[in-house]
Amino acid sequence: GHLADVEGLDEVNDLELSGLRIAGDLSAISGLTELVTLHLKGTEVTGELSALAGLVKLQEVDLDSTAITGDVSILNRLRKLDRLSKLDTQITGELPHSGEEL
């Protein structure tokens, strides 16, 4: 499948795609403003972490083993984010208010 298939699902608050054969750019979900949890572990999703910067309701994000890149400081304004997992990625930095797993 392709991540772009979820574009326009404005009311989605939990997106669990871990381990599925999903590809595409992370920017495809930048409009899912109701998103609370995002699990993309082990997918072929690519793109910049900045695509999540406007998703202010995010609380839990799992990007382990993806090709997503960027610095987590771009997510500093996501005050509800309390778990960020980014093992085996090109994501750098740490969130001071997050219980991220490194």
Side-chain angles (χ1 to χ4, degrees):
H2 201 276
L3 196 59
D5 294 342
V6 302
E7 277 185 290
L9 300 178
D10 302 347
E11 301 302 314
V12 170
N13 55 27
D14 183 16
L15 196 57
E16 170 57 76
L17 301 174
S18 293
L20 298 178
R21 299 186 77 160
I22 299 288
D25 193 275
L26 192 60
S27 63
I29 63 167
S30 63
L32 304 183
T33 55
E34 297 298 313
L35 210 55
V36 175
T37 58
L38 174 63
H39 295 185
L40 296 176
K41 180 178 183 175
T43 64
E44 296 177 19
V45 174
T46 61
E48 281 287 322
L49 196 58
S50 58
L52 303 181
L55 304 180
V56 295
K57 295 185 179 183
L58 274 178
Q59 295 177 15
E60 182 176 316
V61 177
D62 186 344
L63 303 175
D64 291 351
S65 303
T66 63
I68 296 168
T69 61
D71 190 291
V72 296
S73 64
I74 195 77
L75 304 181
N76 278 342
R77 58 183 283 230
L78 303 183
R79 293 293 169 207
K80 294 184 178 185
L81 185 63
D82 60 21
R83 182 176 176 273
L84 171 66
S85 190
K86 57 183 180 63
L87 297 171
D88 193 27
T89 67
Q90 296 299 312
I91 298 170
T92 58
E94 295 180 25
L95 286 177
H97 63 278
S98 172
E100 74 184 310
E101 297 175 4
L102 299 174

